[in-house]
Amino acid sequence: KIMILLFDSLSSTEEKSKRCSKSSMFSSTEDLKGWSRSFPYQVDYKDHFESPEVAYEDIVPLIDWVSSPTNSRSENIVYDPYYCAGRAKKILHSLGFCSVVHERRDFYEDIIHGRVPNHDTLVTNPPYSDDHKERCLNFCLKQLRELDRPFFILMPNYVAAREYYRNRVENWGDEDVVYFIPSKPYTYDHPEGTGKEIPPFASIWYCGIGKDRANNLTKESFACHGKIVKTIEELRILKVIPTQKRPNPRQRKKRKKQGNAVSNKRSTNEESRNVTSQKSTSSKQSRYRDDNGVRTKERF
């Protein structure tokens, strides 16, 4: 039996009054202002895509439920270690989180030297290139197990199907993590306005809340948009994650090249057929008409 939690929208005047900032909308000009390519650590230009505001709005009710009654939004110290253009901090502030740690720092160096900022909850969308997802998961799972610090990581759906993810979750406890499936696909944008807004994969929230909280999570726990499932198997049954292995970048590039070649060949063949048809039509001439097309002999 699949345990699926369905939720509706929650929007009360009480929640709105708790917000630190009245405005939660940002123009593209404001988002782009101050962004630069100079970071104190190595970055990949293609990793710099900001999460949409709706993604945070979706997950906030679950953060509130996990944090209460210990911390309210104004008291909950939220940490996002991956800096892009700083929009995450603005959005979280607008949603009522007054204490947000989101700086242009080397996250991995901070881990090595024990300089990770103090926080209550980690909320982030890590880079998808290289091994960032794996390193982020290692840190978060360890923090959850040792310090009971919940995490909410926005990543592609295919991560849940990866062997490295299953191994890590099983080692730390697969019942500690639940999955939030948004009602609509998220779109992303680059600070410089480049790239594709719609990714070639679906995004879901990986929510490390601990076994006890996960067991107590019910439909009546809180209200928000989307679904929550509690196991990887349920994700498979619901077809949220791919059942086939995703091709690596080289294979995807090869397939795209082959697809373009087939498309070009079809276009060439179609053009060739059209030209041939035109030639055969124009070369065909009646025996009973002159050069001007006037009939020279009566048909009957």
Side-chain angles (χ1 to χ4, degrees):
K1 185 177 180 179
I2 303 176
M3 176 70 73
I4 307 174
L5 308 183
L6 302 175
F7 305 99
D8 299 319
S9 173
L10 174 66
S11 178
S12 65
T13 55
E14 181 180 356
E15 285 297 332
K16 292 181 180 179
S17 64
K18 292 180 180 179
R19 296 187 178 184
C20 296
S21 173
K22 295 182 180 180
S23 174
S24 61
M25 301 299 292
F26 310 102
S27 67
S28 58
T29 303
E30 290 173 331
D31 290 339
L32 297 177
K33 190 178 295 182
W35 191 89
S36 71
R37 297 178 185 174
S38 59
F39 289 81
Y41 43 84
Q42 185 176 357
V43 298
D44 188 327
Y45 184 82
K46 296 179 181 179
D47 280 333
H48 286 272
F49 281 85
E50 294 275 18
S51 303
E53 186 175 5
V54 66
Y56 295 93
E57 293 174 343
D58 280 348
I59 206 65
V60 159
L62 180 55
I63 296 176
D64 288 342
W65 181 80
V66 171
S67 302
S68 64
T70 307
N71 290 326
S72 63
R73 290 191 196 181
S74 60
E75 298 171 333
N76 192 351
I77 304 175
V78 178
Y79 176 44
D80 184 349
Y82 295 102
Y83 193 92
C84 182
R87 186 195 292 181
K89 187 172 185 177
K90 296 178 183 178
I91 294 176
L92 288 167
H93 273 172
S94 75
L95 294 173
F97 295 93
C98 299
S99 301
V100 180
V101 183
H102 184 50
E103 303 171 352
R104 194 176 302 196
R105 299 166 57 105
D106 190 326
F107 177 38
Y108 308 121
E109 283 296 314
D110 284 346
I111 294 176
I112 293 173
H113 298 290
R115 298 194 299 255
V116 174
N118 180 46
H119 60 281
D120 300 310
T121 307
L122 186 144
V123 181
T124 193
N125 176 12
Y128 298 161
S129 66
D130 299 328
D131 60 349
H132 293 293
K133 299 185 294 295
E134 295 95 315
R135 297 171 78 176
C136 180
L137 280 167
N138 285 342
F139 173 80
C140 291
L141 288 168
K142 185 176 181 181
Q143 292 281 300
L144 176 64
R145 179 58 60 87
E146 297 179 357
L147 301 175
D148 194 31
R149 281 179 174 165
F151 64 81
F152 301 85
I153 309 176
L154 183 59
M155 292 190 293
N157 58 343
Y158 63 77
V159 171
R162 290 288 186 266
E163 184 177 357
Y164 69 78
Y165 177 78
R166 295 197 305 271
N167 291 340
R168 282 168 174 78
V169 170
E170 289 173 0
N171 289 337
W172 289 100
D174 56 353
E175 296 179 343
D176 289 334
V177 182
V178 298
Y179 308 91
F180 179 89
I181 309 167
S183 57
K184 295 181 180 180
Y186 295 145
T187 59
Y188 302 81
D189 58 274
H190 196 283
E192 290 192 341
T194 61
K196 299 180 180 179
E197 290 185 353
I198 302 177
F201 50 78
S203 303
I204 61 176
W205 282 100
Y206 296 72
C207 311
I209 63 176
K211 180 179 179 180
D212 293 339
R213 296 189 189 97
N215 290 336
N216 293 327
L217 185 61
T218 65
K219 181 179 179 180
E220 290 74 28
S221 298
F222 62 92
C224 67
H225 287 294
K227 301 177 184 178
I228 287 185
V229 299
K230 296 186 176 182
T231 67
I232 297 176
E233 184 59 28
E234 290 172 11
L235 291 175
R236 287 200 186 96
I237 295 173
L238 293 172
K239 298 182 179 180
V240 175
I241 59 177
T243 55
Q244 295 182 347
K245 186 177 180 181
R246 186 171 183 250
N248 60 43
R250 181 178 294 180
Q251 291 171 331
R252 295 199 298 270
K253 185 176 181 180
K254 183 178 180 181
R255 289 185 182 182
K256 183 177 181 180
K257 187 176 180 180
Q258 291 174 340
N260 292 337
V262 171
S263 178
N264 292 336
K265 186 176 180 180
R266 287 176 180 173
S267 298
T268 302
N269 292 339
E270 185 67 26
E271 292 175 0
S272 178
R273 283 196 296 268
N274 291 337
V275 171
T276 302
S277 176
Q278 291 174 1
K279 286 183 177 180
S280 61
T281 302
S282 60
S283 61
K284 186 176 181 180
Q285 187 173 0
S286 174
R287 292 182 299 170
Y288 306 107
R289 294 179 182 273
D290 59 20
D291 294 338
N292 296 322
V294 179
R295 178 173 289 278
T296 59
K297 182 180 180 180
E298 294 184 4
R299 299 179 62 183
F300 304 104

